[in-house]
Amino acid sequence: MAKQIHIRLEDSLFEALSEYTDTSGQSVQDVISSSIMQMLSNQMQAAESKEARFTFIDLFAGIGGMRIAFERQGGDCVYSNEWNKYCQQTYFANFGEQPDGDITKVDARIIPDHDILVAGFPCQPFSIAGVSKKQSLGRATGFEDKTQGTLFFDVCRIIKAKRPKAFMLENVKNLKSHDKGNTFKVIMESLDELDYEVFHAILDGQNYVPQHRERILIVGFDRKRYGNDFDFKFDITPAEPKPLMKDILEETPDSRYTLSDKLWIYLQNYAEKHRAAGNGFGYGIADPNGIARTLSARYYKDGSEILIAQEGGNPRRLTPRECARLQGFPDSFKIVVSDTQAYKQFGNSVVVPLMTDVAGLIVSKLDEMDGESCES
């Protein structure tokens, strides 16, 4: 729920604000809100003094799922970046910090030094036209040629500028097959060129939450610091007992989450049409003693992929709090945006307890290798 305030501005400040909003394309409300959040962030960061096991940065931060994971392992987040203003609102409400905006405009030199870089970057195709031309001319190409114009390029340039001890990158499972495998090939070549020993695995969140959710994790360690004579394994420890859908459901969800007759009839007809055509498309009623399909950012549209049966009535969609639980967020996590934005945010987020386990593996490996470096 937004609150209204009225403020008085000197003429010169108002003119400067108007000029800025005209050139930036932002509304006055967005500029003022962002400025206030940044001011409060700076004050809170200055007041905090943390004893941290390690430092990390949170890129493409979303609503902070990765931040929770790495903080649970004793880390101190020294920088965050997220361009979506609604995600920024949620991030600020939960961490008291306003993430930086457009990463393509961030000078890597201003980012604080850190031990681990964390990024859930978007999956984008790489243009190979320019690379092919250079190769035909016998000229070598590097990550700056291959990844230019993509957001992964910004991850690479920050790694190159700051040389963290390690990084963890997260993406959808299909990253490996995206653009006929070219996208993943370029990513691995680029990280190798940056002189990092890289490991990757596809992990399923259903070991931690009642949701089938496969994601690829790419972990790298600085060869300049640690060499390459070591191994890293994704030896995660699944939760016991295995979580079930009934564990995350609210006892008395609001009736507004029940599907209308019109929507429920539409979904049934849509499913029947595709069933007759031999397709598997359609709604999904979640088994309370089982796991759900993958929660997606489109869940706000109709909730069809994960519906909850209701005795004597139409099924309902999950509430935003149930979506948060399905991703492993604690109930203390504040949801401060509309239902539509909350569904998008949790649908785009990570399985927090899974990421917490992997973060622990990375930190333990760094402790081990730093210890060996000290002994030698």
Side-chain angles (χ1 to χ4, degrees):
M1 181 71 68
K3 300 290 191 297
Q4 289 189 356
I5 62 172
H6 297 276
I7 59 174
R8 294 178 182 273
L9 299 177
E10 297 293 335
D11 288 346
S12 57
L13 180 57
F14 180 80
E15 290 172 6
L17 178 61
S18 299
E19 183 177 337
Y20 178 80
T21 55
D22 287 342
T23 56
S24 68
Q26 295 177 276
S27 68
V28 171
Q29 176 179 313
D30 286 346
V31 171
I32 292 177
S33 295
S34 178
S35 299
I36 292 173
M37 282 194 286
Q38 190 61 60
M39 179 196 70
L40 293 174
S41 296
N42 293 340
Q43 289 181 346
M44 283 185 272
Q45 288 170 12
E48 289 182 358
S49 177
K50 294 182 180 178
E51 281 293 328
R53 187 178 176 189
F54 62 93
T55 57
F56 69 97
I57 65 171
D58 193 12
L59 305 181
F60 306 99
I63 57 175
M66 288 290 204
R67 177 168 179 151
I68 295 174
F70 279 83
E71 286 186 338
R72 284 178 175 173
Q73 296 297 347
D76 177 20
C77 183
V78 295
Y79 175 81
S80 60
N81 189 289
E82 169 57 48
W83 70 272
N84 182 277
K85 70 176 185 179
Y86 299 107
C87 287
Q88 287 181 337
Q89 291 171 13
T90 299
Y91 201 97
F92 179 80
N94 285 280
F95 305 106
E97 178 181 317
Q98 163 79 351
D100 229 348
D102 187 349
I103 195 169
T104 65
K105 297 177 181 176
V106 174
D107 185 341
R109 292 172 297 183
I110 68 137
I111 295 176
D113 292 338
H114 51 276
D115 297 314
I116 304 174
L117 177 147
V118 181
F121 67 98
C123 182
Q124 296 174 287
F126 300 112
S127 173
I128 60 173
V131 174
S132 299
K133 182 178 180 181
K134 287 190 175 185
Q135 288 175 338
S136 69
L137 296 173
R139 291 160 56 190
T141 62
F143 85 83
E144 292 185 349
D145 296 300
K146 296 175 183 176
T147 66
Q148 189 72 48
T150 68
L151 293 170
F152 180 70
F153 167 80
D154 296 288
V155 174
C156 287
R157 69 179 178 85
I158 293 170
I159 291 175
K160 181 179 180 181
K162 307 307 297 188
R163 290 219 66 87
K165 294 179 179 180
F167 58 74
M168 184 172 93
L169 312 180
E170 179 268 346
N171 213 302
V172 296
K173 171 188 175 182
N174 292 340
L175 178 70
K176 288 196 74 172
S177 57
H178 186 256
D179 191 21
K180 300 179 180 178
N182 179 65
T183 299
F184 191 69
K185 177 174 178 285
V186 171
I187 286 171
M188 297 301 284
E189 287 176 350
S190 299
L191 297 173
D192 179 68
E193 181 193 330
L194 288 166
D195 216 0
Y196 279 77
E197 193 73 4
V198 183
F199 307 87
H200 62 87
I202 294 174
L203 302 178
D204 194 336
Q206 69 172 295
N207 291 309
Y208 297 84
V209 295
Q211 175 192 184
H212 175 59
R213 190 180 190 87
E214 291 183 303
R215 289 294 183 270
I216 187 166
L217 295 180
I218 304 171
V219 173
F221 298 91
D222 184 7
R223 288 194 197 117
K224 291 182 179 179
R225 185 187 300 260
Y226 302 117
N228 59 1
D229 186 22
F230 66 91
D231 194 15
F232 175 80
K233 298 188 184 305
F234 292 85
D235 290 330
I236 58 175
T237 306
E240 289 292 345
K242 188 171 181 177
L244 304 175
M245 274 301 292
K246 63 183 180 182
D247 299 327
I248 64 106
L249 299 181
E250 295 189 59
E251 290 187 8
T252 54
D254 193 288
S255 60
R256 73 177 185 272
Y257 299 108
T258 297
L259 300 190
S260 66
D261 290 340
K262 181 178 179 181
L263 178 55
W264 180 222
I265 291 171
Y266 167 79
L267 289 178
Q268 292 177 90
N269 290 340
Y270 181 83
E272 181 56 39
K273 181 178 71 173
H274 281 284
R275 206 165 20 245
N279 299 325
F281 302 114
Y283 61 86
I285 302 290
D287 179 358
N289 292 305
I291 65 172
R293 295 180 181 181
T294 302
L295 180 69
S296 72
R298 71 166 299 282
Y299 191 74
Y300 75 95
K301 292 185 176 180
D302 52 33
S304 61
E305 62 260 45
I306 308 174
L307 295 174
I308 305 301
Q310 298 188 110
E311 189 174 351
N314 297 345
R316 68 174 179 86
R317 69 185 72 195
L318 295 172
T319 69
R321 178 57 64 192
E322 290 170 336
C323 289
R325 292 173 179 173
L326 196 60
Q327 293 284 47
F329 282 80
D331 278 357
S332 57
F333 191 84
K334 299 171 186 174
I335 303 174
V336 297
V337 293
S338 68
D339 283 359
T340 294
Q341 291 300 327
Y343 286 136
K344 289 180 180 179
Q345 290 176 3
F346 290 116
N348 277 325
S349 194
V350 296
V351 173
V352 175
L354 169 59
M355 299 305 156
T356 302
D357 255 17
V358 177
L361 296 174
I362 296 169
V363 175
S364 294
K365 191 67 179 179
L366 288 178
D367 286 346
E368 173 193 324
M369 293 191 295
D370 285 338
E372 291 174 356
S373 298
C374 291
E375 291 169 8
S376 60

